[in-house]
Amino acid sequence: MSKPIDFYFEFSSPYGYIASQIAEEVEGRMGRTMTWRPMLLGPVMKITGQVPLVDVPMKGEYSKRDFVRSARLHKIAFRYPDRFPIGTVAAVRAFYWVNDRDSAQARKLAKALYSAYFADGTDISAPATVVEIARRIGVDGDALAKALEDPTVKDRAKREVDAAIAAGVFGSPYFVVDGEPFWGVDRIPMMEDWVRTGGW
Amino acid sequence: MSKPIDFYFEFSSPYGYIASQIAEEVEGRMGRTMTWRPMLLGPVMKITGQVPLVDVPMKGEYSKRDFVRSARLHKIAFRYPDRFPIGTVAAVRAFYWVNDRDSAQARKLAKALYSAYFADGTDISAPATVVEIARRIGVDGDALAKALEDPTVKDRAKREVDAAIAAGVFGSPYFVVDGEPFWGVDRIPMMEDWVRTGGW
């Protein structure tokens, strides 16, 4: 049995959003499952010395076009959010809390949070909004709201973010297949080739 | 008649190298010609506040793998140069001087300079090396050596670099099709779709 592929993503990343919507098709084509691992790019940027993509002079304006074109290429609804980027620590905590109980539901939650932000234009930074979206897909909202305040849950999420950084994750989406990293929606075909041909 | 597509590149860019080796096939598939426009990323980085890709923490190590994989994907010889990145102002000056006399030969020169650097491991930063490579493809080496010292030729190259920056070019390769920008070897298929479908 092959080890699952690690699929890292940041909820405020348009390319992570696109990846989340196609990840299950990719799993099917590769015959390999993925472990979904939301993380936060804020702490990464402190290490890399980078700033959010849209704030980089010249590149920022370009990236706004590329988000739209990339979504269209993959036939995924996309509207540029009014507030972007946003803090997504509540979304990350909610994901892992749900994931520890039901990983299929956690995937559903990830996709719902992403669609709320990038297709419907809902700012998902507030815990209450995350809870509301989780409730809609059948999560126990009261239990989740309580969990989001729980230091153990906060710590659980922090450890995941630290682990992602330790694994070298500097962008979103970011995949690791048997130790080989692939960054970006545009590297998914290369990853599929990699799996098909058995690597180097 | 459609306007030519602008193809901007930096001679010290591995992705620019890959693009230069496949650009003519891409032209053929699109039924559109390209104007080759070497430029310098150094002045761009002063504006964007970025550093050379391989010097970015985390991302740098990743990029070295991605150069090799991207070259392999396109079936192009590649070895990581001993010195990287390098200054390429002599290469840019030589290109435009040759281009003003014979644009087909300038393309040949660009491909030869790129292969010397990224396939053969030759440091192409020195004017004498550029002249030697140009001589091999039939350029008058003595005339070129003299031209590389000529303030008019230096100014010609500087104006091209300034024009590229004014056009928003922040990376390599960078294509502009009827006002629409495409950055990266990985965006070439998207550019081809764009041309095929007529844009937005």
Side-chain angles (χ1 to χ4, degrees):
Chain A
M1 261 289 285
S2 336
K3 250 189 81 195
I5 291 166
D6 289 312
F7 166 31
Y8 297 94
F9 55 92
E10 146 75 75
F11 280 112
S12 190
S13 155
Y15 301 114
Y17 160 59
I18 295 171
S20 75
Q21 309 296 305
I22 65 177
E24 281 153 344
E25 292 164 36
V26 175
E27 282 182 311
R29 282 197 299 266
M30 291 191 300
R32 295 276 297 260
T33 58
M34 293 187 194
T35 305
W36 290 33
R37 299 187 177 280
M39 44 82 67
L40 299 169
L41 285 178
V44 172
M45 287 179 193
K46 284 185 190 153
I47 296 169
T48 60
Q50 302 212 285
V51 298
L53 188 51
V54 290
D55 293 339
V56 180
M58 304 176 81
K59 204 171 177 177
E61 281 312 304
Y62 173 85
S63 70
K64 292 179 193 173
R65 285 172 183 260
D66 195 61
F67 298 157
V68 175
R69 296 187 315 209
S70 297
R72 193 175 57 164
L73 179 70
H74 293 284
K75 299 183 171 43
I76 289 163
F78 176 83
R79 53 168 278 195
Y80 193 80
D82 293 333
R83 233 185 107 214
F84 177 78
I86 55 169
T88 58
V89 67
V92 171
R93 288 170 183 162
F95 177 91
Y96 286 111
W97 183 80
V98 172
N99 196 51
D100 288 344
R101 281 147 192 84
D102 181 343
S103 69
Q105 200 175 33
R107 285 186 177 209
K108 246 193 238 174
L109 176 61
K111 289 188 283 184
L113 287 166
Y114 260 140
S115 292
Y117 186 40
F118 287 114
D120 308 334
T122 306
D123 179 341
I124 60 164
S125 56
T129 310
V130 171
V131 169
E132 179 47 38
I133 292 165
R135 216 187 280 274
R136 269 184 246 150
I137 62 150
V139 172
D140 178 341
D142 296 343
L144 174 60
K146 207 172 287 178
L148 291 180
E149 297 294 317
D150 182 344
T152 324
V153 173
K154 291 183 183 181
D155 187 59
R156 166 90 173 86
K158 191 183 176 310
R159 274 183 289 119
E160 290 287 345
V161 174
D162 291 346
I165 294 171
V169 179
F170 60 82
S172 165
Y174 193 99
F175 303 90
V176 182
V177 185
D178 306 328
E180 187 72 16
F182 295 88
W183 167 49
V185 172
D186 47 42
R187 291 298 180 274
I188 291 176
M190 200 186 267
M191 171 172 73
E192 293 190 36
D193 265 2
W194 186 268
V195 167
R196 193 163 37 237
T197 61
W200 290 105
Chain B
M1 263 289 285
S2 334
K3 250 190 81 195
I5 291 166
D6 289 313
F7 167 31
Y8 297 94
F9 54 93
E10 147 74 76
F11 280 111
S12 190
S13 156
Y15 301 113
Y17 160 59
I18 296 171
S20 76
Q21 309 296 306
I22 64 177
E24 281 154 343
E25 292 164 36
V26 175
E27 283 182 309
R29 283 197 298 267
M30 291 191 301
R32 295 276 296 260
T33 58
M34 294 188 193
T35 306
W36 290 34
R37 299 187 179 279
M39 44 81 68
L40 298 169
L41 285 178
V44 171
M45 288 179 191
K46 285 186 189 152
I47 296 170
T48 60
Q50 303 213 285
V51 297
L53 187 52
V54 290
D55 294 338
V56 180
M58 304 175 82
K59 204 171 177 177
E61 281 312 304
Y62 173 85
S63 70
K64 292 178 192 173
R65 287 173 181 260
D66 195 61
F67 298 158
V68 175
R69 296 187 316 210
S70 297
R72 194 175 58 164
L73 180 71
H74 293 284
K75 300 181 172 44
I76 289 163
F78 176 84
R79 53 168 276 194
Y80 192 81
D82 295 332
R83 234 185 108 215
F84 176 77
I86 55 170
T88 58
V89 66
V92 171
R93 288 171 183 161
F95 177 92
Y96 286 111
W97 182 79
V98 172
N99 197 51
D100 287 345
R101 280 144 192 87
D102 181 344
S103 69
Q105 201 177 32
R107 284 185 177 209
K108 248 193 236 173
L109 176 61
K111 288 188 283 184
L113 287 165
Y114 260 139
S115 292
Y117 186 40
F118 287 114
D120 309 334
T122 307
D123 179 341
I124 60 164
S125 56
T129 311
V130 170
V131 168
E132 180 47 37
I133 293 165
R135 217 187 281 273
R136 269 184 247 151
I137 63 151
V139 172
D140 178 341
D142 297 343
L144 174 59
K146 206 171 287 176
L148 291 179
E149 297 295 316
D150 181 343
T152 325
V153 173
K154 291 183 182 180
D155 186 60
R156 165 90 174 85
K158 192 184 177 307
R159 274 183 287 120
E160 288 288 344
V161 175
D162 291 346
I165 294 172
V169 179
F170 59 83
S172 165
Y174 193 99
F175 303 90
V176 181
V177 185
D178 306 327
E180 187 72 15
F182 295 88
W183 167 48
V185 172
D186 48 40
R187 291 299 181 271
I188 291 176
M190 200 185 265
M191 172 173 72
E192 292 190 35
D193 265 0
W194 186 269
V195 167
R196 195 164 36 239
T197 61
W200 290 106

